C-alpha cells in the first residue's frame, strides 16, 4: 500500500435490526445468508460496497465496513499495540507454531479495537506479505518472509491461521495476502513489468501464495502495483482463473492503494477509469482501494461501465457476494458480533502478548559467528553497549505504535541489574558558514524551530549528532532537544522523534568540496520524484539567516567542526570493560523501504569504522547487526569474535538480545535468505528469471557469505542416518552439547538428471525441535513423490520425472548432515510435438525477449526487444520432415520470424514475413515453407525474431 489510508468510517448503526432477516441467522449456511442479503440490496447499495470504505446501510441495520487494517507484525496505525519483530524477523524463527501464536495475538488485538472502532480500523487485515525475497535489495525486504516458496508458504499459512482463528466459517479476522504477483522491486514499481516464464510463475511465485489460500488461512489477495508479463496486476485474470481455484471458499480480492487509477496514469493501459475499473472487476477484483476515503470516483466509474455495457449486474453481484461472504463469516451479522464479538481492549499489549513478543524476538535472532565469546557470563558485569542502535528502537512504516521500548542497553542493564556504559558512537558536529562565520542553530523544546545561522560560537543549539546510514545519507539530531531535523515543505525544523513519513524528510548529504568545506544537500525521498523541481541545497534565504532550499551556486559552504568524535567516545566507553557490545544496523525508514530500493548491500562506512575501533580497544567485542535484510558486512565479519543478527524486533528487542547474549535463551534463528558476499553476485533487480540468472540458494552457484537456512547455536547436534518411511523421511537428531537448544532440521531434494534445468537444492520440509543435552529425537519430514514435480513447459502440466533424486537433511542449505537417494519411477518427458499449436511463452531458453500481454484481457505473448532475439524449443520431434511454419504475430513494423535448427545461428530452414499489423494487439497468421527435407528428426528448434515483433503461438508441420 502506498499511503496511510486513515480516514473516518462514516456513520455506524446498531448491529441488530428489528426484522429477523435470514442473513442474521447464524444457523443458516454462509451461502444462504449471503444470497439473502444480496437479494435485499438495491443496485446502488451493491455498488457502494465495491469501494474500500463501505458505507452503512441503515435500513437493514448494517454498519460501515472498511478493508485494509495493516497487521504485518502487530496492528498498525491505530494507536499503541503490541509490536512484534518485523516479518523477516518472525520468519527467521522457522517456527510455524510460534507464527500461529503471533497471528492469533495480532488477530485478538485487531478485535480489541472493535468496541471503539478508531479511524482506520477494520477486520479485513492486509497481511501477511508473501512476496518472495528473491533480491535482498528490495526496499520492502522487511515485510516478507523468505526467498523460498516452501518456507514462505508454511509461515504465511501459520500466521494466517492465527489471524483467522482456524475456522474459515467463523473468522476472527480476514487476512489478505500481499501482493499478487511477482512484486520485488520499488524502482518504477507502477510501470515495470515482472517477466515470469511459466516455470518461474508456477514453481516459484504462485507457489508462495497457494498454501495459505488452499488452507483457508487467508481470505483473498491484494493485487500488486507492477505489471506481470506486460499486464497490470490490477487486471490480472489469474485472480479468477488461478487463485480462486485454490479454495472452495469465496475470496475477497482488493487492489493496492490508488492502483485502479494507475491503469489510466501512469500505466496508460486504459483511457478511462471506467474501462479500468470494469476490467479489474471482471478479472477478479472485488474491492477498489482508490481515492482514499472518497468512493465517488469508483461508484461513478462502475455506474458508467454498466451504462456502457462494459459490466453486467451479474458482475456486480459476484463481487458483492464475495465481500458479503467475508463479512458474514466475520460474525458482523450475528448476535453480539459472533464468536469473537466480545473481545475488548484488555487484550491489547496484554502481559501474555508482551511475553510472546519477547519470545519471538529471541527466537528470530540469528547467531552468525561465535568463537566461544558467547554466551557472556553474568559475572562480567562491567559492560559497555555502544553504537547508533545501542540505546534506541526504531519502528518501520508498517509498525504499530510502541507501547514501551526496551533498548539493547536497557535490556542488558536489566539482565545484569546494574547500569551499563553507553555511547552512540556518532559524531557531534557544528556547521559554520565559512562566508559569514555563523553556525547553524536549532530550536529548543519539543517543537524545535526553523534552522538559522545565528551565532559565532558552537553552543548546544548549534550542535547536531550526525548519524551515517550509508550511501552518503545522514540524519541530524539536534543536541538542543534530541529531535531530528526535517523539511516541512517550507523550512527545516528539529521536531521529529525519529525519521519518518512517506517522504522521510529527515535525510541529508554532506558533500565535501575540493576546498574541504561541505555543502548540505537535502535528500528527502520526494527529491527523487519526477515532479520535484525545487533546488536541493541549503543556504540562508533571508536577513535572519533562516535556511531554505537554494541552487547549488547559492549554497552555503560549511566547515564541519567535530565537537565530539563518535569513535573516540565509544572507545572510551569500552576500554577496560569486561565486554563491549556494539549495536549497528539500519534505520528502517532510510535504508530501503516502500517506494525505495536499497542501492547497495554494505554497512555504513562509519559503522564499520566504529566496530574496528572498538574491537582494537576491547578484544572481547560482540557485534549485533540490527536491520531488515542481508548485509555484506565487509571487514566486520572477519574481525569480531561474535556476531548476531536481529531484525528491528519491536518493543522487547533489548530483553530478547540480553536473553541471547547471556545464555538464558540458546540462539536458534535461521536465515531465510542467502547473504551474498557482494552485490556483484546479483543480476539486475528487474531480472525475475531466477532459473536463467541463477538467483536464490536454489540456483546460485557462488559461495555465499552465509547460506540460506544458516544459524549457529550454543550447543551442537548430530544427525543420524536419513531413512525413508511411508510419506517421507526420518532422521534421528541428538544434542551432543552441554546446553539445551533448538535445532531446525531442514530437508532438501536435488534431481540429478532432468530434461530441464533443476535447482541445486530445494527445501521440501523442515521442523524445529527442542533437545536437552544428550537427548535424541526422531524427526519425521513429509516428502511425497508428487512434491518432486516441476512444471513441464512442453505440455503445460506438473511432472515428476523418472530418475535418481538426492534427499538431504541438514542444518542449512550447505550444511548437509545426512543424505540418501530415492529412485523415482515417474515419467519421461517426451520430445516436443511442434506440429500441435505451441504457445511461444513455453520456450526452453531465450535471448533478447520480454513477455507481453497477448490481449488486455488475457494471454501472454513473447515480444522481441532487439533484432536477432531468439527462442529455443529443445528436443523437438519433427518426424520425417516438416514442411510449413505457421505463427500468430503482431506488431506495427515490418518483421520476420526465422526458423533455425540446432542454434540461433544454425541452419536457416524458413522465414516468415509480416508487413506489420494495425496494433500490437492485432494478430495475423504468417507462414513459411520450410526447406525440403531439412526440418526432420529430433532437434532443437530456434525462432529468431526481428525487433518489435510479438509472437503468441506457432506450429511446425
Amino acid at each position: 500500500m502506498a499511503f496511510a489510508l486513515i480516514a473516518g468510517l462514516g456513520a455506524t448503526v446498531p448491529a441488530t435490526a428489528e426484522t429477523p432477516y435470514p442473513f442474521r441467522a447464524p444457523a443458516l449456511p454462509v451461502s444462504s445468508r449471503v444470497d439473502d442479503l444480496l437479494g435485499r440490496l438495491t443496485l446502488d447499495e451493491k455498488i457502494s460496497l465495491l469501494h474500500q470504505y463501505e458505507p452503512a446501510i441503515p435500513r437493514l441495520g448494517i454498519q460501515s465496513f472498511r478493508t485494509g487494517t495493516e497487521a504485518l507484525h502487530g496492528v498498525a496505525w491505530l494507536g499503541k499495540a503490541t509490536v512484534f519483530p518485523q516479518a523477516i524477523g518472525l520468519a527467521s524463527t522457522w517456527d510455524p507454531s510460534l507464527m500461529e501464536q503471533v497471528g492469533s495475538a495480532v488477530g485478538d488485538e485487531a478485535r480489541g479495537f472493535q468496541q471503539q472502532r478508531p479511524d482506520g480500523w477494520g477486520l479485513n487485515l492486509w497481511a501477511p506479505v508473501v512476496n518472495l525475497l528473491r533480491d535482498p535489495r528490495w526496499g520492502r525486504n522487511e515485510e516478507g518472509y523468505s526467498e523460498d516458496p516452501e518456507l514462505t508458504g508454511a509461515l504465511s499459512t501459520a500466521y494466517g491461521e492465527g489471524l483467522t482463528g482456524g475456522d474459515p466459517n467463523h473468522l476472527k479476522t480476514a487476512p489478505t495476502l500481499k501482493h499478487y504477483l511477482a512484486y520485488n522491486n520499488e524502482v518504477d514499481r507502477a510501470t515495470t513489468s515482472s517477466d515470469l516464464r511459466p516455470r518461474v510463475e508456477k514453481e516459484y511465485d504462485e507457489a508462495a501464495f497457494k498454501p495459505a489460500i488452499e488452507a483457508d488461512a487467508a481470505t483473498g489477495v491484494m493485487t500488486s502495483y507492477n505489471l506481470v508479463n506486460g499486464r497490470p496486476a490490477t487486471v490480472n485474470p489469474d485472480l479468477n482463473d488461478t487463485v480462486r481455484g485454490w479454495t472452495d471458499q469465496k475470496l475477497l480480492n482488493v487492489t493496492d492503494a490508488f492502483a485502479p487509477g494507475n491503469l489510466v496514469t501512469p500505466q496508460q493501459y486504459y483511457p478511462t477509469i471506467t474501462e479500468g475499473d470494469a476490467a479489474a472487476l471482471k478479472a477478479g477484483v472485488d474491492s477498489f482501494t482508490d481515492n482514499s476515503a472518497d468512493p465517488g470516483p469508483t461508484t461513478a466509474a462502475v455506474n458508467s461501465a454498466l451504462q456502457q455495457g462494459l459490466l453486467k449486474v451479474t458482475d456486480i453481484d459476484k463481487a458483492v457476494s464475495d465481500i458479503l461472504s467475508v463479512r458474514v463469516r466475520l460474525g458482523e451479522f450475528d448476535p453480539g458480533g459472533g464468536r469473537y464479538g466480545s473481545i475488548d481492549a484488555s487484550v491489547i499489549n496484554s502481559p501474555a502478548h508482551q511475553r510472546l513478543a519477547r519470545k519471538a524476538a529471541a527466537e528470530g535472532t540469528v547467531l552468525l559467528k561465535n568463537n566461544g565469546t558467547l554466551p557472556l557470563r553474568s559475572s562480567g558485569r562491567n559492560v559497555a553497549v555502544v553504537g547508533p542502535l545501542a540505546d534506541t528502537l526504531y519502528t518501520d512504516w508498517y509498525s504499530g505504535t510502541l507501547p514501551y521500548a526496551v533498548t539493547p542497553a536497557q535490556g542488558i542493564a536489566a539482565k545484569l541489574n546494574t547500569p551499563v556504559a553507553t555511547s552512540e558512537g556518532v559524531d557531534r558536529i557544528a556547521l559554520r558558514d565559512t562566508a559569514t562565520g555563523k553556525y547553524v542553530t536549532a530550536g529548543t523544546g519539543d517543537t524545535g524551530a526553523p534552522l538559522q545561522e545565528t551565532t559565532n560560537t558552537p553552543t548546544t543549539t548549534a550542535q547536531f549528532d550526525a548519524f551515517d546510514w550509508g550511501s552518503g545519507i545522514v540524519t541530524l539530531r539536534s543536541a538542543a532537544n534530541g529531535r531530528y531535523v526535517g523539511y516541512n515543505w517550507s523550512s527545516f525544523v528539529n521536531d521529529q522523534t525519529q525519521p519518518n513519513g512517506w517522504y522521510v524528510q529527515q535525510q541529508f548529504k554532506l558533500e565535501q568540496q575540493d576546498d574541504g568545506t561541505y555543502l548540505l544537500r537535502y535528500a528527502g525521498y520526494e527529491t527523487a520524484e519526477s515532479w520535484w523541481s525545487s533546488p536541493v541545497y541549503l543556504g540562508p534565504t533571508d536577513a535572519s539567516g533562516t535556511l531554505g532550499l537554494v541552487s547549488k551556486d547559492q549554497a552555503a559552504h560549511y566547515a564541519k567542526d567535530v565537537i565530539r568524535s563518535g569513535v573516540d567516545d565509544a572507545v572510551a566507553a569500552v576500554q577496560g570493560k569486561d565486554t563491549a557490545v556494539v549495536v549497528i544496523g539500519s534505520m528502517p525508514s532510510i535504508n530501503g523501504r516502500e517506494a525505495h530500493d536499497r542501492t547497495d548491500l554494505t554497512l555504513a562506512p562509519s559503522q564499520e569504522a566504529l566496530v574496528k575501533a572498538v574491537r582494537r580497544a576491547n578484544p572481547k567485542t560482540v557485534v549485533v547487526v540490527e536491520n531488515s535484510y542481508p548485509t555484506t558486512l565487509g571487514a566486520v565479519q572477519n574481525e569480531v569474535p561474535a556476531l548476531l543478527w536481529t531484525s528491528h524486533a519491536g518493543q522487547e528487542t533489548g530483553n530478547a538480545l540480553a536473553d541471547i547474549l547471556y545464555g538464558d535463551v540458546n540462539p536458534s534463528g535461521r536465515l531465510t535468505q542467502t547473504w551474498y558476499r557482494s552485490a556483484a553476485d546479483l543480476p539486475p533487480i528487474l531480472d525475475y528469471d531466477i532459473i536463467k540468472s541463477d538467483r536464490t540458494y536454489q540456483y546460485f552457484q557462488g559461495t555465499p557469505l552465509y547460506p540460506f537456512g544458516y544459524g549457529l547455536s550454543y550447543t551442537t547436534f548430530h544427525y543420524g542416518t536419513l531413512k525413508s518411511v511411508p510419506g517421507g523421511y526420518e532422521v534421528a537428531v541428538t544434542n551432543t552439547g552441554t546446553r539445551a537448544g533448538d535445532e531446525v532440521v531442514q530437508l532438501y531434494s536435488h534431481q540429478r538428471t532432468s530434461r530441464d534445468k533443476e535447482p541445486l537444492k530445494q527445501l521440501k520440509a523442515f521442523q524445529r525441535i527442542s533437545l536437552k543435552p544428550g537427548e535424541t529425537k526422531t524427526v519425521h519430514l513429509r516428502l511425497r513423490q508428487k512434491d518432486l514435480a516441476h512444471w513441464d513447459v512442453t505440455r503445460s502440466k506438473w511432472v515428476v520425472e523418472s530418475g535418481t533424486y538426492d534427499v538431504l537433511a541438514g542444518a542449512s542449505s550447505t550444511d548437509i548432515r545426512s543424505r540418501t537417494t530415492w529412485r523415482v519411477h515417474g515419467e519421461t518427458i517426451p520430445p516436443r510435438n511442434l506440429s500441435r499449436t505451441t504457445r511461444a511463452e513455453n520456450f526452453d531458453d531465450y535471448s533478447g525477449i520480454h513477455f507481453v500481454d497477448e490481449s488486455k484481457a488475457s494471454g501472454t505473448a513473447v515480444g522481441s526487444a532487439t533484432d536477432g532475439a531468439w527462442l529455443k524449443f529443445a528436443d523437438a520431434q519433427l518426424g520425417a520432415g516438416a514442411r510449413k511454419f505457421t505463427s500468430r504475430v503482431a506488431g506495427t513494423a515490418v518483421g520476420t520470424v526465422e526458423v533455425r535448427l540446432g542454434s540461433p545461428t544454425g541452419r536457416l530452414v524458413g522465414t516468415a514475413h509480416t508487413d506489420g499489423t494495425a496494433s500490437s494487439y492485432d494478430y495475423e497468421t504468417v507462414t513459411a515453407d520450410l526447406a525440403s527435407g531439412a526440418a526432420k528428426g529430433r532437434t532443437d528448434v530456434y525462432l529468431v525474431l526481428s525487433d518489435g515483433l510479438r509472437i503468441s503461438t506457432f506450429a511446425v508441420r
Side-chain angles (χ1 to χ4, degrees):
M1 188 183 115
F3 295 91
L5 303 180
I6 299 179
L9 290 172
T12 60
V13 296
T16 60
E18 294 182 3
T19 306
Y21 297 123
F23 73 82
R24 294 193 177 278
L28 291 177
V30 171
S31 58
S32 298
R33 299 174 70 184
V34 169
D35 289 345
D36 176 71
L37 179 51
L38 186 68
R40 297 181 187 280
L41 298 174
T42 67
L43 180 58
D44 285 343
E45 288 169 340
K46 293 174 184 176
I47 293 173
S48 75
L49 301 182
L50 299 178
H51 188 263
Q52 179 187 23
Y53 288 83
E54 301 175 27
I57 303 175
R59 70 182 185 85
L60 295 175
I62 294 175
Q63 292 181 290
S64 59
F65 185 86
R66 178 188 184 273
T67 64
T69 294
E70 301 291 353
L72 282 182
H73 53 111
V75 180
W77 304 353
L78 300 182
K80 292 180 179 180
T82 307
V83 178
F84 293 94
Q86 291 176 309
I88 186 67
L90 290 174
S92 298
T93 67
W94 288 61
D95 190 343
S97 176
L98 178 68
M99 292 290 289
E100 184 172 352
Q101 293 174 53
V102 173
S104 182
V106 175
D108 284 345
E109 295 201 12
R111 280 281 181 174
F113 286 100
Q114 67 187 345
Q115 313 301 336
Q116 293 77 32
R117 292 169 63 97
D119 286 352
W121 173 84
L123 293 175
N124 174 241
L125 306 185
W126 286 354
V129 168
V130 299
N131 295 110
L132 292 162
L133 307 182
R134 102 206 131 87
D135 194 308
R137 295 168 296 192
W138 186 31
R140 303 182 76 168
N141 198 85
E142 67 196 27
E143 298 180 36
Y145 288 151
S146 171
E147 68 183 34
D148 180 77
E150 172 69 26
L151 180 59
T152 296
L155 296 179
S156 59
T157 298
Y159 191 68
E161 286 176 342
L163 291 174
T164 64
D167 179 352
N169 288 319
H170 299 87
L171 298 170
K172 182 189 296 184
T173 64
T176 302
L177 304 183
K178 301 198 300 186
H179 312 79
Y180 195 85
L181 184 71
Y183 170 39
N184 192 221
N185 65 273
E186 297 304 295
V187 57
D188 298 328
R189 61 180 180 171
T191 54
T192 57
S193 180
S194 304
D195 277 8
L196 297 185
R197 60 195 291 185
R199 281 194 62 197
V200 174
E201 182 169 9
K202 296 295 183 182
E203 297 173 22
Y204 194 63
D205 286 278
E206 284 183 8
F209 281 84
K210 183 177 180 180
I213 298 292
E214 193 172 47
D216 293 325
T219 59
V221 300
M222 171 189 283
T223 59
S224 52
Y225 284 120
N226 55 289
L227 293 80
V228 178
N229 294 345
R231 180 180 296 106
T234 309
V235 291
N236 188 342
D238 286 355
L239 295 171
N240 278 333
D241 300 343
T242 300
V243 178
R244 294 194 193 276
W246 295 336
T247 178
D248 292 331
Q249 294 283 352
K250 287 184 180 261
L251 299 177
L252 166 51
N253 295 329
V254 306
T255 73
D256 209 335
F258 303 101
N262 287 348
L263 290 168
V264 179
T265 303
Q267 291 167 345
Q268 298 182 349
Y269 203 70
Y270 289 101
T272 67
I273 194 63
T274 293
E275 292 164 277
D277 281 6
L281 203 69
K282 296 182 78 168
V285 165
D286 302 305
S287 178
F288 292 86
T289 313
D290 209 8
N291 302 292
S292 298
D294 179 10
T298 296
T299 56
V302 173
N303 275 307
S304 177
L306 285 169
Q307 294 167 6
Q308 296 179 42
L310 300 174
L311 289 174
K312 300 177 181 178
V313 173
T314 53
D315 297 319
I316 309 299
D317 286 349
K318 177 185 176 298
V320 174
S321 177
D322 294 335
I323 295 167
L324 294 179
S325 175
V326 169
R327 293 181 65 171
V328 167
R329 288 182 277 152
L330 283 168
E332 178 181 350
F333 310 124
D334 293 356
R339 180 179 298 180
Y340 302 103
S342 62
I343 296 177
D344 60 24
S346 63
V347 302
I348 299 173
N349 192 39
S350 67
H353 292 178
Q354 294 173 12
R355 292 190 294 271
L356 185 60
R358 183 170 182 166
K359 176 179 173 66
E363 277 198 22
T365 300
V366 182
L367 179 60
L368 297 175
K369 181 181 179 182
N370 187 23
N371 70 353
T373 299
L374 295 176
L376 301 174
R377 299 178 183 273
S378 58
S379 58
R381 303 167 66 82
N382 193 10
V383 176
V385 186
V386 302
L389 286 90
D391 204 21
T392 189
L393 293 186
Y394 290 121
T395 55
D396 61 46
W397 178 250
Y398 287 106
S399 286
T401 303
L402 291 168
Y404 61 86
V406 182
T407 69
Q410 291 169 341
I412 292 171
K415 179 71 66 178
L416 298 175
N417 196 28
T418 188
V420 298
T422 63
S423 167
E424 291 178 310
V426 300
D427 289 345
R428 178 162 288 185
I429 65 172
L431 298 173
R432 176 174 52 85
D433 190 330
T434 57
T436 65
K438 292 186 180 296
Y439 285 91
V440 175
T441 59
T444 58
D446 289 347
T447 58
L451 298 192
Q452 294 178 293
E453 296 180 1
T454 62
T455 180
N456 293 104
T457 56
T459 60
T460 300
T461 58
Q463 296 175 18
F464 301 89
D465 297 322
F467 290 80
D468 173 17
W469 299 113
S471 302
I473 297 295
V474 299
T475 54
L476 301 174
R477 188 182 64 195
S478 170
N481 66 351
R483 298 295 178 103
Y484 288 87
V485 175
Y487 183 56
N488 62 8
W489 303 102
S490 61
S491 59
F492 294 91
V493 182
N494 57 317
D495 62 351
Q496 297 299 308
T497 57
Q498 77 161 56
N500 64 87
W502 182 251
Y503 292 112
V504 193
Q505 295 174 305
Q506 296 79 33
Q507 300 181 82
F508 299 89
K509 291 185 177 182
L510 284 166
E511 297 182 350
Q512 189 168 17
Q513 306 301 296
D514 291 340
D515 61 1
T517 64
Y518 292 84
L519 301 185
L520 186 57
R521 180 188 180 106
Y522 174 54
Y525 279 151
E526 75 270 34
T527 63
E529 298 288 343
S530 59
W531 47 261
W532 179 267
S533 59
S534 300
V536 293
Y537 289 92
L538 274 68
T541 57
D542 57 26
S544 69
T546 300
L547 295 190
L549 293 173
V550 298
S551 60
K552 186 174 183 178
D553 61 339
Q554 295 178 315
H557 284 246
Y558 290 109
K560 185 178 72 172
D561 297 347
V562 178
I563 307 299
R564 182 188 66 211
S565 164
V567 167
D568 291 348
D569 192 62
V571 166
V574 304
Q575 284 178 330
K577 297 297 191 293
D578 297 325
T579 306
V581 178
V582 189
V583 190
I584 56 176
S586 69
M587 200 285 131
S589 290
I590 292 174
N591 298 107
R593 54 149 284 184
E594 184 171 357
H596 295 275
D597 294 312
R598 295 165 68 198
T599 55
D600 59 50
L601 300 177
T602 61
L603 283 174
S606 67
Q607 293 188 19
E608 187 169 335
L610 173 67
V611 170
K612 290 179 179 179
V614 170
R615 166 67 170 152
R616 288 193 296 268
N618 190 321
K620 195 170 183 180
T621 293
V622 177
V623 172
V624 177
V625 179
E626 184 180 339
N627 65 18
S628 315
Y629 34 70
T631 304
T632 52
L633 293 181
V636 170
Q637 161 64 22
N638 298 320
E639 294 189 8
V640 299
L643 185 61
L644 288 163
W645 174 84
T646 178
S647 70
H648 293 279
Q651 62 201 52
E652 287 285 343
T653 297
N655 283 332
L657 281 174
D659 288 342
I660 294 286
L661 290 170
Y662 287 91
D664 293 323
V665 174
N666 194 339
S668 58
R670 301 291 185 265
L671 299 179
T672 66
Q673 290 177 271
T674 302
W675 283 42
Y676 298 95
R677 293 183 178 273
S678 167
D681 289 333
L682 293 166
I685 195 171
L686 295 178
D687 185 344
Y688 276 76
D689 188 348
I690 68 165
I691 298 175
K692 189 174 179 69
S693 63
D694 294 331
R695 272 188 186 271
T696 80
Y697 81 95
Q698 291 189 16
Y699 294 96
F700 181 59
Q701 300 188 47
T703 301
L705 179 64
Y706 295 115
F708 172 81
Y710 175 86
L712 301 177
S713 170
Y714 294 154
T715 191
T716 55
F717 301 96
H718 172 75
Y719 284 60
T721 302
L722 185 62
K723 300 176 182 178
S724 174
V725 295
Y729 287 81
E730 67 178 24
V731 62
V733 181
T734 303
N735 183 343
T736 53
T738 59
R739 305 176 65 94
D742 285 9
E743 173 72 329
V744 178
V745 183
Q746 303 163 41
L747 190 73
Y748 296 86
S749 72
H750 167 66
Q751 185 174 344
R752 290 187 179 180
T753 58
S754 173
R755 177 197 181 277
D756 302 309
K757 182 178 178 179
E758 290 295 322
L760 303 173
K761 290 188 186 77
Q762 193 169 15
L763 182 70
K764 293 300 182 182
F766 65 93
Q767 187 174 330
R768 184 184 177 108
I769 57 171
S770 299
L771 294 171
K772 298 174 183 177
E775 183 180 9
T776 298
K777 287 184 179 178
T778 298
V779 181
H780 298 269
L781 299 159
R782 190 176 76 167
L783 182 61
R784 301 154 299 176
Q785 183 166 311
K786 69 177 183 179
D787 298 326
L788 301 174
H790 76 274
W791 189 254
D792 173 20
V793 294
T794 72
R795 296 171 294 171
S796 295
K797 59 176 283 191
W798 291 100
V799 60
V800 177
E801 291 181 282
S802 295
T804 300
Y805 293 72
D806 294 310
V807 183
L808 316 163
S812 80
S813 58
T814 61
D815 186 6
I816 301 303
R817 308 286 184 87
S818 188
R819 65 178 65 218
T820 188
T821 58
W822 183 3
R823 180 63 186 174
V824 172
H825 299 286
E827 59 180 303
T828 299
I829 299 175
R832 280 186 180 270
N833 181 359
L834 296 184
S835 67
R836 295 195 298 249
T837 299
T838 298
R839 295 205 63 82
E841 64 182 303
N842 286 326
F843 51 71
D844 291 291
D845 199 3
Y846 63 94
S847 176
I849 64 93
H850 58 277
F851 286 114
V852 294
D853 49 341
E854 184 175 8
S855 72
K856 290 192 173 184
S858 64
T860 296
V862 174
S864 173
T866 182
D867 278 328
W870 53 263
L871 304 173
K872 176 184 179 181
F873 298 87
D875 191 25
Q877 177 57 267
L878 302 180
R883 297 182 177 182
K884 186 175 288 292
F885 171 76
T886 304
S887 181
R888 294 282 293 168
V889 301
T892 57
V894 174
T896 60
V897 182
E898 295 179 349
V899 183
R900 293 182 178 268
L901 304 180
S903 77
T905 58
R907 183 176 180 182
L908 176 64
V909 296
T911 303
H913 298 267
T914 176
D915 292 328
T917 61
S919 78
S920 57
Y921 296 116
D922 290 310
Y923 284 81
E924 68 172 359
T925 299
V926 296
T927 63
D929 292 328
L930 303 181
S932 177
K936 63 182 179 179
R938 289 178 70 167
T939 187
D940 296 339
V941 174
Y942 286 78
L943 303 184
V944 182
L945 313 176
S946 57
D947 188 18
L949 191 71
R950 291 186 172 203
I951 176 171
S952 62
T953 62
F954 73 96
V956 181
R957 299 185 175 99

